[in-house]
Amino acid sequence: GAGVSQSPRYKVAKRGQDVALRCDPISGHVSLFWYQQALGQGPEFLTYFQNEAQLDKSGLPSDRFFAERPEGSVSTLKIQRTQQEDSAVYLCASSLSVSTDTQYFGPGTRLTVL
Amino acid sequence: AQKVTQAQTEISVVEKEDVTLDCVYETRDTTYYLFWYKQPPSGELVFLIRRNSFDEQNEISGRYSWNFQKSTSSFNFTITASQVVDSAVYFCALSDLFTGANNLFFGTGTRLTVIP
C-alpha cells in the first residue's frame, strides 16, 4: 500500500484479556517502530526493528508487552493480561533504511481497556 | 539527557493570521535530527520536515517556514496566513545518536485551533 496501515483501528478489551495489534509498514521499508501515545501526550517509543531483528526494546513498559516481526515486514505488538493503564493509541512507523531516516506513521490503534 | 519542550499547550488564531509554534530541545550530541509532525483529528502523524544539526538554514515550504537556531536550541515553526485546515496538534521531535538514534523523542505537542 501507499502508507503504513494498522489494524484494528479501535480495540476494546476487558481487563486481563490479551490483545494483538498489527502493523503493515510501507513496502520495502527496513526499519519499523512502535510508539505509545497516551491522551494529551506526545508519542513515546516502545521498540524498534531492523528487518526481523528487534534491536531496541527499551521502551516496552513491562514484560506483558511483546513485539515481533518474523519475516521482516508485518509486525505484531501483543499485550498480555491488559490493564487499564495500557489504554492508549499505539502508533506504528516505518523508515526506508537506517534509523535516522524519516519515520512515516500509520493511523494508530486506539486501545481501551475496561 | 534529551528533552523536547513545547511550552505552548494550546493556541487559537483567527483565519489568515500568522502563528509561530515554539520548540526548544536539549541533547548531549553534536549530531542530531529535528522533526515536525502534524496530527489532525484523524490521529495519523503527518511528517512535515526533518533537519540535521549541521544545517542551520531556515526553510520555507509554501505557507510553512522553520527557524533553526542552534545557539538557543530552538526549532520554531511558523504558519503564515493560517487556514482552518491547519487546525491540529503539532509535535516537535528529536532523534540523536546518544539515544541510539533509533527512536524519536517527542514534545507534548501544541494544539492549534484556527477560527474561521
Side-chain angles (χ1 to χ4, degrees), chain A residues 33 35 37 45 99-100 103, chain B residues 37 39 50 101-104:
Chain A
F33 305 79
Y35 292 82
Q37 186 176 20
F45 171 77
S99 54
T100 53
Q103 295 181 30
Chain B
Y37 284 86
Q39 190 171 44
R50 170 179 180 259
N102 291 332
N103 54 292
L104 295 172

Side-chain angles (χ1 to χ4, degrees), chain B residues 37-115:
Chain B
Y37 284 86
K38 173 183 180 180
Q39 190 171 44
S42 61
E44 185 167 345
L45 278 165
V46 178
F47 166 75
L48 296 177
I49 190 170
R50 170 179 180 259
R51 303 305 302 275
N52 74 58
S53 53
F54 299 109
D55 183 1
E56 285 193 74
Q57 274 196 323
N58 292 329
E59 182 156 339
I60 298 174
S61 176
R63 295 184 297 107
Y64 296 170
S65 62
W66 290 270
N67 184 357
F68 179 24
Q69 300 258 351
K70 257 176 125 170
S71 59
T72 55
S73 296
S74 65
F75 186 44
N76 296 337
F77 172 32
T78 297
I79 303 174
T80 57
S82 58
Q83 300 176 1
V84 173
V85 292
D86 296 329
S87 296
V89 180
Y90 291 86
F91 289 98
C92 180
L94 165 73
S95 177
D96 64 23
L97 295 180
F98 183 78
T99 65
N102 291 332
N103 54 292
L104 295 172
F105 193 82
F106 285 86
T108 51
T110 297
R111 180 177 299 277
L112 173 65
T113 302
V114 181
I115 303 164

Side-chain angles (χ1 to χ4, degrees), chain A:
Chain A
V4 178
S5 61
Q6 293 185 245
S7 61
R9 290 294 313 277
Y10 303 90
K11 177 70 179 176
V12 178
K14 292 183 179 178
R15 190 159 54 101
Q17 281 185 331
D18 298 348
V19 298
L21 313 179
R22 177 188 168 106
C23 172
D24 267 284
I26 294 172
S27 178
H29 277 199
V30 167
S31 298
L32 185 145
F33 305 79
W34 283 98
Y35 292 82
Q36 180 190 60
Q37 186 176 20
L39 192 63
Q41 300 296 314
E44 292 190 354
F45 171 77
L46 294 177
T47 187
Y48 159 63
F49 290 85
Q50 195 169 100
N51 296 306
E52 68 279 1
Q54 189 175 20
L55 299 187
D56 187 347
K57 51 182 180 179
S58 61
L60 295 176
S62 77
D63 58 7
R64 296 185 296 104
F65 286 72
F66 171 76
E68 60 183 5
R69 194 186 184 198
E71 296 177 1
S73 179
V74 171
S75 176
T76 303
L77 176 67
K78 297 179 179 178
I79 309 173
Q80 297 176 323
R81 304 181 304 280
T82 52
Q83 303 294 316
Q84 283 190 323
E85 61 264 27
D86 300 335
S87 295
V89 175
Y90 290 85
L91 294 163
C92 176
S94 69
S95 67
L96 184 59
S97 56
V98 298
S99 54
T100 53
D101 278 349
T102 297
Q103 295 181 30
Y104 296 94
F105 284 80
T109 295
R110 181 177 297 278
L111 173 65
T112 303
V113 182
L114 302 176

